């Protein structure tokens, strides 16, 4: 056991001097330290014994980042409270704080155990993560945590026991952006927190049962075990199910939630059906008219219009006297005017189609096909 | 052969030339059929042999030909290209165009859309240059929570609020102006009439969907073209800001529906002017005043002109006393009433007057800038009138801060916001310069399928021949528009806007809107830096 006194009268050992002293001692084979610190930072990691022996640190009055980056086979016990960042980036150490922990306790811890015998500050447990090649990190807190705890947590396990807490045991906005891991909580949650909560299952109870016994043993509070193992007071927080992007389609919204029949049903009922950019029948902008009434020009029955029509919309009928009548079928014709352009006698003429007076239902659209008789009478 | 005169037009005189590849054309007819302008048609090519072909001797070569008839001019909308199965046809912008000199005989030229000459925008020379790094913590855009809300309504200073201590808490002891905290993006006022019923309904559906399914309290302004009775008597009215402009179209029916309303509207917007045609009133050509528009607006079929000013409104004070007071009264002083003007050299004077309004009933100052313009307007107005929005907003905001009155009458700005599709960036920069929120119109049309742009494509909003069915009342064209897909595009746009706005808030470290945080901005333009009072960087 190496005792290190960091104060010599009014002279204080710097963090750097202390850490270099520790490194040298560990290199020499020392494994047990009692350090009466005076606010020196980063005590506890990353240190390792070359023979793989366990390192023990007993600390009083340390500075920030106790056990930060601690490696496995490192055990740290702090008598009393610690400032921010204890167990930051913990890579396998066992860190026991026999008091409160400051902000961001266990921040980014990826392995090991952190036991806190009091409260922990804001953003504690934030970004805890699990490396798939190693055991998951654990963060045990006897009382409560501050706001933004477990922010962006992406693995591992945190336990907040809520002992002697009158208010909520988690501060405001806990678990924001949590994507993995689990937080066990005993006690009241903040009212506005949006959390995915579940009751404990048997596996949870087994894990907590074993873990609480170990935790309470470490912090000397075994008397609390019966109270803390009353599972009715516990719940667990899992990553929020990502608010699903609105899944109701706009079409379904319109059909089920929007004003029935649409905004304009009183003046212009809508079918909400749309037609293509080149539509037929009544949606045509222009229509062909076969007008064989001219004195000067006569249909020479050359079939060109009938043969070239891309929609095969032109029909030819023969009258009893052998002359031909041509007509265009509304439901097939696009109104492109190809018939007009190929007609050697300009018998086909394009006219503007009448505007619709109402939206049309495509299902019911049954434009009448002109009959030969119609065409005949049109011819006069 | 007909005599061709010097003044006759050829295709190369026009702004758009149809590039047609007969070797790829399968004569399917779709391009000619779809063209709502009648700008192309099939003709028998007068090539070698085709004269005989026309007479039935030989084979005619049928091709698509572009019209040079001034009433059938190609506007470059490109519907022909969309429907062509073989990429045989598309319009090409023609740098040789003499089109501006054509059609002079038909009276003042008109079009929809804003300036056609691409120009450098002030907002594009501004960057979010203050990134929180070592100084203060940035936020995480994906995972942190943000409070993206903007006020609509007269915000009282804390010491002017009627607060009383009651036991352990503060209580509001008297009535005070209504303030709605809404999403900082308003769907701008485009009337039924200017828009087709389907386009308007698609925007309304998207608005309701964003509120109910996405939790974003987006508001839509009705424009002044009547409001559907079905909406006035629906709960969805709560998302709608009703507009009153100088024509007062549809207000008779709004008032008649007043006792039937199940909820109150989100606000009332008094339109004094708009960015597309500052100093001019609304104008709806008779060809768009179809039967259903007559029914909705309560007007006969005629070209509808709104006067450039509100008749009987001759001063700022009168506007406050008459318009604000009366429209507050319509909804029992419970609904915010705001006012919209085209940005002008006089905007600061107007804003100062509103700020000093002793009745405290002006709930917002909407400024519409030079680049705004969904409305069909005279080309000369579109091209030559108006005031850029950015410096005018800044002037107004700084005038308010100089008096310690900033934030009391919310500043909402529009006019070309998101022209370059970076709507969130535009909004963020304007908010940093002092805006509380922005309103957008043109981008909504683009999301519905409008192909008009700043390079002179289409912009035929005034013609009644809108090929996408957005700005026409010809139901054959309107029925082309898919309401659900259009609304979905708008919803997705706002969801992306929300994400992108957070992406800009996060590095600045703000979880609420950084109104007036001009320290977040830098510009690489010295003159802009001087004018706006932001840091110059190079």
């Amino acid at each position: 056991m190496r005792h290190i006194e960091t104060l010599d009268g009014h002279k204080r050992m710097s963090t750097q001097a202390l850490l270099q002293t520790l490194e040298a001692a560990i290199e020499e084979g020392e494994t047990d330290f009692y350090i009466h610190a005076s606010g020196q930072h980063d005590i506890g990691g990353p240190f390792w014994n070359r023979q793989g022996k366990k390192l023990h640190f007993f600390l009083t009055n340390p500075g920030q980042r106790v056990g930060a980056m601690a490696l496995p086979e490192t055990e740290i016990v702090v008598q009393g409270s610690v400032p921010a960042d204890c167990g930051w980036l913990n890579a396998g150490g066992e860190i026991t704080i026999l008091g409160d922990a400051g902000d961001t306790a266990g921040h980014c811890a990826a392995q090991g155990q952190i036991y806190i015998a009091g409260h922990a500050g804001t953003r504690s447990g934030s970004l805890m993560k699990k490396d798939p090649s190693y055991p998951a990190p654990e963060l045990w807190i006897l009382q409560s945590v501050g706001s933004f705890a477990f922010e962006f947590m992406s693995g591992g396990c945190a336990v907040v026991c809520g002992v002697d807490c009158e208010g909520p045991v988690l501060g405001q906005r806990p678990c924001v952006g949590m994507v993995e891991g689990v937080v066990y909580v005993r006690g009241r949650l903040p009212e506005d927190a949006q959390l995915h909560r579940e009751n404990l299952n048997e596996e949870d109870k087994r894990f907590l049962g074993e873990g609480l016994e170990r935790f309470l043993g470490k912090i000397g509070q075994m008397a609390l075990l019966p109270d803390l193992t009353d599972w009715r007071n516990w719940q667990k927080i899992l990553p929020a199910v990502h608010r699903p992007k609105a899944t109701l389609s706009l079409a379904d919204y319109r059909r089920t939630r929007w004003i029935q029949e649409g905004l304009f049903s009183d003046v212009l009922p809508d079918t909400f059906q749309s037609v293509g950019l080149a539509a037929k029948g009544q949606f045509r902008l222009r229509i062909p008219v076969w007008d064989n009434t001219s004195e000067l020009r006569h249909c020479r029955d050359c079939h060109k219009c009938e043969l070239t029509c891309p929609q095969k919309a032109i029909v030819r009928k023969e009258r009893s006297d052998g002359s031909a009548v041509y007509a265009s079928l509304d439901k097939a014709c696009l109104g492109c005017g190809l018939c007009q352009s190929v007609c050697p006698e300009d018998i086909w003429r394009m006219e503007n189609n009448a505007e619709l007076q109402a939206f049309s239902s495509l299902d019911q659209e049954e434009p009448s096909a002109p009959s030969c008789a119609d065409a005949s009478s049109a011819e006069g | 052969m007909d005599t061709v005169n010097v003044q006759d037009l050829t295709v190369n005189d026009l702004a758009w030339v149809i590039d047609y590849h007969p070797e790829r054309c399968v004569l399917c007819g779709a391009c000619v059929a779809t063209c709502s302008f009648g700008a192309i048609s099939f003709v028998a090519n007068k090539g070698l042999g085709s004269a005989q072909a026309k007479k039935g001797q030989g084979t005619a070569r049928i091709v698509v030909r572009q019209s040079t008839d001034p009433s059938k001019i190609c506007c470059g909308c490109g519907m022909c290209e969309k429907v062509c199965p073989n990429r045989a046809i598309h319009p090409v912008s023609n740098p040789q165009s003499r089109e501006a000199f054509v059609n002079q005989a038909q009276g003042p030229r008109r079009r929809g859309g804003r300036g056609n000459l691409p120009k450098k925008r002030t907002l594009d020379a501004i960057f979010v240059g203050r990134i929180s790094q070592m100084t203060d913590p940035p936020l995480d855009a994906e995972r942190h929570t943000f409070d993206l809300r903007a006020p609509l309504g007269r915000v009282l200073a804390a010491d002017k609020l009627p607060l009383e201590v009651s036991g352990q808490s503060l209580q509001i002891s008297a009535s005070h102006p209504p303030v709605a905290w809404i999403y900082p993006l308003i769907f701008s006022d485009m009337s039924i009439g200017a828009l087709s019923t389907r386009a308007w309904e698609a925007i309304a559906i998207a608005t309701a969907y964003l509120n109910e399914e996405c939790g974003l309290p987006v508001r839509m302004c009705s424009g002044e073209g009547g409001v559907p009775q079905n909406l006035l008597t629906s709960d969805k009215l709560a998302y709608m800001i009703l507009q009153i402009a100088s024509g007062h179209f549809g207000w008779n029916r709004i008032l008649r529906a007043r006792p039937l309303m199940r909820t109150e509207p989100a606000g009332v917007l008094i339109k004094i002017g708009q960015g597309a045609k500052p100093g001019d009133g609304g104008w709806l050509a008779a060809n768009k005043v179809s039967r259903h528009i007559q029914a909705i607006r309560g007007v006969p079929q005629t070209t509808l002109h709104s006067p450039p000013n509100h008749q009987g409104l001759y001063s700022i004070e009168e506007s406050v006393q008459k318009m604000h007071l009366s429209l507050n009264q319509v909804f029992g002083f419970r609904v915010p009433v705001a006012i919209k003007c085209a940005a002008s050299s006089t905007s600061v004077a107007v804003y100062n007057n509103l700020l000093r309004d002793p009745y405290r009933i002006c709930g917002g100052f909407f400024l519409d800038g030079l680049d705004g313009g969904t409305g069909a307007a005279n080309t000369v107005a579109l091209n030559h009138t108006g005031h850029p929005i950015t410096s005018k907003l800044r002037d107004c905001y700084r005038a308010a801060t100089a008096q310690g009155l900033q934030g009391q009458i919310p500043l909402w700005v529009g006019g070309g916001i998101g022209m370059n599709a970076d709507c969130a960036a535009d909004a963020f920069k304007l908010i940093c310069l002092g805006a509380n929120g922005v309103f957008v119109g043109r981008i909504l049309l683009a999301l519905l399928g409008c192909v008009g742009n700043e390079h002179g494509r289409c912009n035929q909003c005034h013609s009644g021949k809108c090929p996408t069915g957005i700005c026409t009342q010809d139901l054959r064209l309107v029925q082309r528009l898919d309401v659900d897909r259009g609304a979905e595009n708008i919803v997705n746009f706002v969801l992306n806007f929300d994400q992108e706005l957070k992406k800009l808030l996060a590095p600045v470290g703000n979880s609420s809107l950084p109104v007036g945080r001009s320290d977040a901005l830098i510009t690489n333009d010295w003159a802009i830096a001087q004018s706006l009072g932001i840091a110059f960087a190079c």
Side-chain angles (χ1 to χ4, degrees):
Chain A
M1 172 75 76
R2 170 84 67 99
H3 271 259
I4 299 178
E5 179 57 59
T6 60
L7 280 177
D8 178 9
H10 290 293
K11 198 171 173 206
R12 173 182 171 274
M13 190 182 231
S14 72
T15 293
Q16 184 174 342
L18 173 62
L19 297 179
Q20 286 175 328
T21 303
L22 291 176
E23 189 174 23
I26 291 166
E27 190 65 22
E28 289 163 10
E30 183 59 73
T31 56
D32 291 9
F33 296 90
Y34 181 91
I35 305 169
H36 186 199
S38 44
Q40 286 85 356
H41 303 313
D42 292 298
I43 304 174
F47 292 126
W48 66 99
N49 174 280
R50 285 186 182 276
Q51 281 79 46
K53 292 182 193 164
K54 194 164 191 169
L55 302 177
H56 298 275
F57 296 90
F58 301 95
L59 310 176
T60 60
N61 197 31
Q64 296 182 0
R65 302 183 294 284
V66 172
M69 309 188 197
L71 293 173
E73 303 306 318
T74 302
E75 184 182 355
I76 300 166
V77 177
V78 181
Q79 285 289 346
S81 297
V82 296
D85 287 324
C86 75
W88 171 50
L89 265 173
N90 185 13
E94 183 193 292
I95 302 163
T96 304
I97 311 294
L98 298 172
D100 296 326
D103 293 344
T104 43
H107 171 47
C108 280
Q111 281 184 79
Q113 296 82 33
I114 302 169
Y115 302 115
I116 296 169
H119 301 279
T122 61
R123 289 204 158 86
S124 289
S126 64
L127 275 164
M128 281 176 68
K129 46 178 66 81
K130 174 172 167 31
D131 182 332
S133 298
Y134 299 99
E138 296 173 18
L139 174 61
W140 296 77
I141 297 155
L142 189 66
Q143 294 183 293
S144 69
V145 292
S147 295
F148 309 107
F150 315 114
E151 194 175 51
F152 309 153
M153 184 170 175
S154 55
C157 159
V159 183
V160 185
C161 300
V163 169
D164 293 338
C165 288
E166 287 184 5
V169 296
L170 306 183
Q172 291 183 329
R173 297 191 176 184
C175 303
V176 169
M178 176 179 176
V179 293
E180 262 300 345
V182 57
V183 179
Y184 296 100
V185 182
R186 177 179 166 276
R188 196 149 66 80
L189 298 179
E191 278 164 16
D192 58 345
Q194 295 173 349
L195 300 168
H196 176 193
R197 293 183 283 179
E198 287 187 9
N199 292 324
L200 304 191
N201 60 29
E202 291 310 310
E203 173 66 15
D204 296 322
K205 292 172 190 169
R206 190 194 58 72
F207 169 80
L208 280 178
E210 292 172 13
L212 281 169
E213 204 169 333
R214 191 178 64 217
F215 172 44
L216 295 175
K218 293 280 179 194
I219 63 173
Q221 295 276 11
M222 281 305 282
L224 294 172
L225 190 61
D227 259 4
L228 294 189
T229 48
D230 180 349
W231 305 125
R232 289 171 303 180
N233 299 326
W234 286 88
Q235 54 190 317
K236 66 176 173 182
I237 300 170
L238 296 172
V241 180
H242 286 295
R243 188 176 61 167
K245 224 178 168 180
T247 48
L248 187 63
S249 77
L250 265 297
D252 285 341
Y253 176 84
R254 179 176 55 72
R255 279 190 284 268
T256 60
R257 307 272 308 278
W258 184 236
I259 295 163
Q260 285 304 301
E261 312 294 330
L263 280 184
F264 300 97
S265 61
D266 53 340
V267 290
L268 184 67
D270 200 333
T271 60
F272 293 101
Q273 293 174 323
S274 56
V275 297
L277 284 171
K280 300 169 186 172
Q282 56 194 320
F283 299 108
R284 289 171 300 172
L285 301 174
R286 291 165 287 273
I287 51 171
V289 176
W290 189 77
D291 180 4
N292 199 19
T293 57
S294 166
E295 299 275 318
L296 303 171
R297 295 164 170 271
H298 299 287
C299 171
R300 57 169 88 163
D301 196 14
C302 68
H303 296 258
K304 276 200 174 119
C305 56
E306 184 190 8
L307 293 172
T308 53
C309 175
Q311 300 296 327
K312 301 284 172 251
I314 293 176
V315 291
R316 173 183 176 278
K317 290 275 170 92
E318 237 171 70
R319 281 183 292 208
S320 50
D321 65 358
S323 64
V325 177
Y326 288 79
S328 170
L329 299 175
D330 285 347
K331 65 180 173 187
C333 170
L334 287 172
C336 72
L338 194 63
C339 46
Q340 177 194 35
S341 71
V342 298
C343 180
E345 297 293 347
D346 294 337
I347 305 300
W348 286 103
R349 170 178 89 238
M350 296 306 289
E351 290 188 351
N352 285 329
N353 196 12
E355 283 196 26
L356 289 177
Q357 293 302 308
F359 285 119
S360 184
S361 168
L362 306 185
D363 313 325
Q364 293 160 10
E365 192 202 349
E366 277 297 334
S368 58
S371 67
C372 188
D374 293 337
S376 179
S377 62
E379 190 190 7
Chain B
M1 193 183 208
D2 295 337
T3 304
V4 178
N5 290 315
V6 169
Q7 286 82 8
D8 290 342
L9 294 176
T10 181
V11 166
N12 198 34
D13 292 325
L14 306 181
W16 294 87
V17 172
I18 291 293
D19 183 18
Y20 172 66
H21 296 265
E23 75 281 7
R24 290 192 222 145
C25 177
V26 294
L27 297 180
C28 72
C31 57
V32 180
T34 194
C35 181
S36 55
F37 304 97
I40 46 176
S41 58
F42 284 118
V43 295
N45 203 344
K46 291 178 182 168
L48 187 64
S50 63
Q52 290 77 13
K54 185 87 175 170
K55 297 188 173 69
Q57 303 154 3
T59 308
R61 181 149 200 207
I62 305 297
V63 292
V64 173
R65 176 166 295 173
Q66 178 176 2
S67 171
T68 54
D69 177 341
S71 67
K72 296 179 175 178
I73 287 181
C74 172
C75 63
C77 75
M79 294 301 132
C80 51
E81 182 180 10
K82 274 197 195 197
V83 296
C84 180
N86 228 15
R87 305 240 167 127
I89 187 167
H90 68 284
V92 177
S93 180
N94 178 21
Q96 307 295 327
S97 169
R98 296 176 55 252
E99 199 171 299
F101 302 102
V102 180
N103 267 349
Q104 295 279 352
Q106 299 183 8
R109 291 159 297 147
R110 289 174 165 137
R111 67 161 199 271
R114 199 55 231 189
N116 278 348
L117 293 174
K119 49 193 177 287
K120 193 180 170 198
R121 302 185 324 148
T122 302
L123 290 174
D124 291 336
I126 296 176
F127 306 91
V128 182
R130 189 214 179 280
I131 310 298
S132 301
Q133 287 166 112
M134 304 294 279
T135 50
D136 51 314
L139 296 168
D140 186 298
E142 270 86 25
R143 296 179 290 191
H144 276 123
T145 47
F146 292 81
D147 177 26
L148 305 184
R149 297 292 180 268
L152 178 64
R154 180 67 158 85
V155 179
L156 293 187
D159 64 340
K160 296 288 189 298
L161 278 170
L163 290 171
E164 273 182 8
V165 180
S166 165
Q168 291 297 308
S169 63
L170 282 175
Q171 301 284 340
I172 299 269
S173 63
S175 83
H176 59 94
V179 180
W181 286 85
I182 61 177
Y183 198 70
L185 181 73
I186 288 178
F187 293 164
S188 186
D189 32 328
M190 296 182 283
S191 72
I192 302 166
L195 298 194
S196 66
T197 52
R198 279 197 173 183
W200 204 91
E201 183 155 11
I203 299 172
I205 290 173
T207 307
Y209 187 96
L210 286 162
N211 277 273
E212 295 171 14
E213 300 295 314
C214 310
L216 299 178
V218 174
R219 299 291 174 259
M220 168 179 175
C221 180
S222 64
E224 193 204 59
V227 180
Q229 292 294 305
N230 290 351
L231 180 59
L232 288 170
T233 54
S234 153
D235 292 339
K236 319 283 185 194
L237 181 64
Y239 313 134
M240 189 67 59
I241 296 169
L242 300 179
Q243 176 157 97
I244 185 162
S246 58
H248 295 13
F249 292 119
W251 270 84
N252 176 46
R253 296 182 182 204
I254 292 172
L255 295 171
R256 292 296 301 266
R258 181 71 189 82
L260 306 174
M261 288 181 187
R262 287 153 53 180
T263 185
E264 285 170 347
V268 176
L269 185 60
I270 303 164
K271 190 193 94 172
I272 301 292
Q274 72 187 82
K277 40 194 164 187
D280 205 351
W283 169 72
L284 191 67
N287 63 25
K288 291 174 81 170
V289 188
S290 56
R291 210 167 55 177
H292 57 273
I293 296 303
Q294 297 162 37
I296 296 164
R297 291 195 171 196
V299 292
Q301 175 153 29
T302 176
T303 293
L304 300 176
H305 287 282
S306 301
N309 65 323
H310 286 243
Q311 308 294 76
L313 208 64
Y314 297 99
S315 67
I316 303 168
E317 290 75 13
E318 202 168 11
S319 103
V320 171
Q321 289 178 13
K322 178 177 174 182
M323 293 304 290
H324 280 87
L325 197 62
S326 305
L327 288 155
N328 265 286
Q329 155 63 12
V330 174
F331 298 102
F333 292 84
R334 291 180 299 271
V335 170
V337 177
I339 193 162
K340 174 182 174 181
C341 295
S344 150
S345 300
T346 59
S347 298
V348 174
V350 173
Y351 190 50
N352 275 335
N353 259 282
L354 295 174
L355 284 169
R356 290 196 287 269
D357 150 37
Y359 305 95
R360 302 181 307 192
I361 48 176
C362 175
F365 191 43
F366 284 55
L367 271 177
D368 199 4
L370 180 68
D371 281 321
T374 56
N378 288 292
T379 300
V380 71
L382 285 165
N383 286 356
H384 300 287
T385 61
H387 196 296
I389 190 60
T390 309
S391 68
K392 192 46 61 186
L393 157 74
R394 189 73 178 141
D395 293 346
C396 286
Y397 180 74
R398 292 211 282 195
T401 52
Q403 304 165 69
L405 297 174
Q406 71 274 23
Q408 298 200 14
I409 295 182
L411 281 163
W412 288 80
V413 294
I417 313 289
M419 276 168 76
N420 55 359
D422 277 345
C423 195
D426 285 357
F428 183 86
K429 293 169 188 175
L430 289 165
I431 288 169
C432 286
L433 291 169
N436 291 88
V438 298
F439 50 92
V440 294
R442 182 80 176 271
I443 195 166
L444 303 179
L445 303 187
L447 292 160
L448 288 173
C450 168
V451 295
N453 68 13
E454 299 303 309
H455 305 279
R457 183 173 175 185
C458 200
N459 298 343
Q460 295 296 305
C461 320
H462 62 296
S463 68
K465 294 175 182 173
C466 171
T468 56
I470 294 168
C471 287
T472 174
Q473 304 302 333
D474 182 336
L475 300 188
R476 297 171 303 176
L477 300 171
V478 177
Q479 200 151 349
R480 291 177 174 182
L481 185 61
D482 186 326
V483 171
D484 299 329
R485 277 181 70 182
E488 185 173 4
N489 284 350
I490 293 175
V491 166
N492 287 335
F493 155 70
V494 176
L495 295 177
N496 286 336
F497 175 91
D498 192 58
Q499 289 294 310
E500 292 186 352
L501 198 57
K502 289 175 186 169
K503 276 286 179 197
L504 292 168
L505 280 158
V508 175
N510 267 54
S511 61
S512 59
L513 294 175
V515 178
R517 263 204 71 181
S518 54
D519 69 310
L521 304 180
I522 57 168
T523 175
N524 58 5
D525 183 304
W526 178 251
I528 289 174
Q530 295 305 300
S531 170
L532 302 182
I534 60 177
F536 172 71
C538 60

